[in-house]
Every structure is written in structure tokens, then in C-alpha cells.
Amino acid sequence: MLTNKIGLIIQGPLVSKGIKGSKLRDKNKIKSKDSEFVTKYNCLENVLDIGKKANNNFDEVILSTWESSDISHVRESNIFSKIIVNSEKDFENLYIKNNVFIQNYKKQFHTLYVASRYLKKKDLDFIVKIRTDLEINIDKLHNECLIALSKNKTLINNGIRSSSRFLEIDDFIFGSKSDLFIKWMDNLVKIEFGKPAGAHSNLMISYLWTKHKSKSYLKNIHFFHKSIENNSKIINELAIKEWEDFHILGKKFWNNSKLRGEKLDSRYYDFKISEPKIKKHRMKYDFRAYAKWLKSDFSLQSNVK
């Protein structure tokens, strides 16, 4: 009997500071780090709970995190297939050496990259990623992965909120067939697609690159655009086609979910889905980023053993 082998990456810090789960859609109101909308949340209990429950269904359960005083408690639990503890100092030195800007989301990409490298050896069918500060129904997630795998689809957690912002993917939860996921994470950290710099747009552009990179160097310039709303017809059409084929988590999936210990803002997942609308193409390519890719032999090293 064939079984579907699925790996889970729990990614993020053991102490998460950011907007409160109940105020997620009010993040634009934050004026300072001490805002009433911001909280500091210890993820240890949630991470251990995810690990225990995930062991019932997932074939590999990986925690990819950063150095923390709580890491000893995680190690003592003996519930993870692998614990990868990344050094922020080593991360910064590595990325500065390779002339890569260290935006906060790059830390997320790095932890996913080293985890996917480890899972490359595990002969999995599907890999999915969640956050350390996100509390969800793990059994439901496993079932959604099985559905996506059976349909040969990539799993994402949200539909299109704004009709012109379809060159973005949310980063709370996403997963795909293992070969695609590993290549996707590899491209995510190794290629600087230039501005606009953001987690959601980088996720989508890297995904499109992984699936549709052209053999023609000239055509690949389309991936290095400075606007997520005025990109070329080629990239827009590729993105729209992918949206038609994504497996998107439904509203019911999010029932009783929490972010940083608070009930998740329902506005995050309960909204009217927009149809993608292509805007006029503007010639705003990031030729510096494109030239860097042409010349680059940028490679990342990790301490994964």
C-alpha cells in the first residue's frame, strides 16, 4: 500500500514580537514598537504542542529556529525529527559577505532554506511550512496537504485580497510537492529579484521562477521588475494561471486559530476574494538585480548535518 510522506517545517523564533493576533489587520496603525497593537509572545508551549500533535500524522517534523534560552527545553522534549538552531550572527555575516540586504523576512527564508536542505534527504512527497507563533489544527493541516498532493497542487493559505496584488503569496502557511518546495526555497534565498522587496512578492516571484524560468536570458528580465502591480504581460499571465491551480485553505480551516497567543483576526481570512486584474505594464525593471543574477555564483552554507 502506498503512503504519502509529508514533512512539516515549524519555522520562526521561540520568542515572537509583533502585532497581536486579534489586531492583525490593523498593522498599518502601528506607529512605534511600543504600540498597543504589539505584543511579545513566548512560542515554547505552542511549538511543543505542534510537535506532539504533528507526530501523529507527519513523517518528518522539523523545527528551524534561532538561538534562544528556551532551546534546551525543546531538545529535552525529544519530539522533533530535527531541531535546527540558526545563529543570527552567522546569518548576518553570511548575507553581508554576499551583498544581500538583511530585511527581517530574509531570516524566515533562511530558516526555511536550511530546513528544506535537511529534508532533501528524506524522500518525502510533500513539504509544508507553518510559523512558531501560529496555533492551528494540525490534523486539519495534514488533511489539506493530502488533498493538495492528490490534486498535484501547491497549498497556500489565502486568496487574492486586492485585484491588482496577485503577484504575492501570504507566508503564514504554504507547501508543495517536495522537489518543487526544495527548489523554491533554494531560489528564494539565492536570487535577489530586486524591488519591491517583501516576503509576499518574493515568495510569488521565486515560485514563478522555479516553475517557469526561461532558457532565454533575455526573457528572464521579466522576473526582475520593480512593481508588483505593473509587471509584464508574461509574468502576469503566468501568475494568474498559477492562482487558478492553487489549493487555498478555506475559512473553516481557521476556526479557533491563534496568532501570538490571541484569537486570529477573522478579517485575515474572512474576506471577499478578488479576481486578478492586470494593470498597464510599465518599463520599471531592476537591471542591477538582473545583472547581479547573471554574474552571481552566490552560494549559501549552513551547519545542517
Side-chain angles (χ1 to χ4, degrees):
M1 181 179 177
L2 293 174
T3 58
N4 295 306
K5 297 176 66 176
I6 302 175
L8 174 68
I9 299 174
I10 308 166
Q11 170 275 323
L14 290 182
V15 176
S16 172
K17 186 174 182 181
I19 191 165
K20 295 178 179 179
S22 60
K23 303 290 185 181
L24 185 58
R25 292 300 298 165
D26 294 318
K27 58 186 176 183
N28 291 332
K29 297 180 181 179
I30 296 178
K31 303 299 181 183
S32 72
K33 293 182 179 180
D34 300 320
S35 167
E36 61 180 304
F37 296 105
V38 175
T39 188
K40 190 175 183 180
Y41 172 67
N42 190 310
C43 308
L44 178 61
E45 186 176 335
N46 185 53
V47 166
L48 294 176
D49 187 58
I50 292 173
K52 290 174 184 175
K53 293 176 179 177
N55 275 322
N56 295 327
N57 292 314
F58 289 89
D59 297 273
E60 295 282 341
V61 181
I62 311 301
L63 172 64
S64 188
T65 187
W66 299 92
E67 294 171 337
S68 167
S69 58
D70 286 324
I71 200 65
S72 59
H73 299 295
V74 178
R75 294 191 191 281
E76 291 167 2
S77 69
N78 293 317
I79 58 177
F80 298 96
S81 309
K82 179 73 175 179
I83 300 171
I84 302 172
V85 182
N86 299 277
S87 164
E88 292 198 47
K89 183 178 180 180
D90 291 346
F91 163 79
E92 291 178 1
N93 289 339
L94 176 65
Y95 277 70
I96 290 173
K97 179 181 177 181
N98 288 284
N99 194 30
V100 177
F101 293 112
I102 311 177
Q103 297 97 330
N104 192 51
Y105 66 83
K106 290 288 180 61
K107 294 172 70 176
Q108 174 190 181
F109 295 167
H110 179 78
T111 52
L112 287 171
Y113 168 74
V114 295
S116 65
R117 276 190 60 184
Y118 172 79
L119 290 176
K120 186 176 182 178
K121 302 172 286 187
K122 298 300 178 179
D123 192 30
L124 297 170
D125 298 297
F126 197 90
I127 300 173
V128 65
K129 167 266 181 190
I130 62 172
R131 297 165 51 130
T132 52
D133 54 11
L134 183 63
E135 182 180 334
I136 58 168
N137 187 312
I138 293 298
D139 292 336
K140 282 185 179 179
L141 177 61
H142 185 264
N143 187 58
E144 295 289 347
C145 291
L146 289 175
I147 294 171
L149 180 57
S150 69
K151 296 180 178 179
N152 194 26
K153 295 191 175 198
T154 292
L155 181 152
I156 62 173
N157 64 248
N158 253 344
I160 299 173
R161 191 180 298 272
S162 172
S163 61
S164 61
R165 303 292 290 260
F166 56 87
L167 283 174
E168 296 176 297
I169 299 177
D170 201 286
D171 60 350
F172 272 27
I173 301 172
F174 57 85
S176 71
K177 293 183 72 173
S178 58
D179 287 348
L180 173 59
F181 189 94
I182 292 165
K183 291 175 183 176
W184 182 10
M185 295 305 102
D186 193 65
N187 288 326
L188 195 58
V189 297
K190 291 183 178 179
I191 302 175
E192 286 279 305
F193 290 100
K195 298 179 180 180
H200 298 179
S201 59
N202 271 271
L203 270 176
M204 185 56 157
I205 295 299
S206 293
Y207 181 76
L208 295 175
W209 175 276
T210 304
K211 292 193 70 177
H212 303 288
K213 174 190 171 186
S214 175
K215 293 181 180 179
S216 164
Y217 284 110
L218 184 59
K219 288 183 179 179
N220 283 328
I221 185 64
H222 294 283
F223 292 92
F224 296 84
H225 201 279
K226 291 184 177 182
S227 172
I228 57 174
E229 295 188 341
N230 301 105
N231 211 316
S232 70
K233 183 179 179 181
I234 292 174
I235 297 299
N236 284 330
E237 289 181 346
L238 286 175
I240 291 172
K241 182 65 173 64
E242 292 297 335
W243 274 104
E244 293 171 353
D245 208 38
F246 282 144
H247 177 68
I248 304 173
L249 297 176
K251 296 176 184 178
K252 291 183 178 180
F253 173 86
W254 297 101
N255 288 344
N256 302 315
S257 295
K258 294 181 180 180
L259 175 67
R260 298 191 177 100
E262 293 191 2
K263 185 177 180 180
L264 183 62
D265 188 341
S266 62
R267 294 172 296 173
Y268 172 72
Y269 57 85
D270 190 0
F271 59 90
K272 184 178 179 181
I273 302 297
S274 298
E275 292 296 321
K277 184 178 180 180
I278 297 178
K279 286 194 171 183
K280 185 178 180 180
H281 176 218
R282 294 179 181 174
M283 297 292 290
K284 295 174 63 177
Y285 293 100
D286 194 327
F287 292 103
R288 180 177 295 180
Y290 177 65
K292 181 180 177 181
W293 166 70
L294 286 175
K295 298 176 182 178
S296 178
D297 60 353
F298 174 59
S299 62
L300 288 175
Q301 303 298 321
S302 76
N303 295 319
V304 180
K305 298 180 180 178

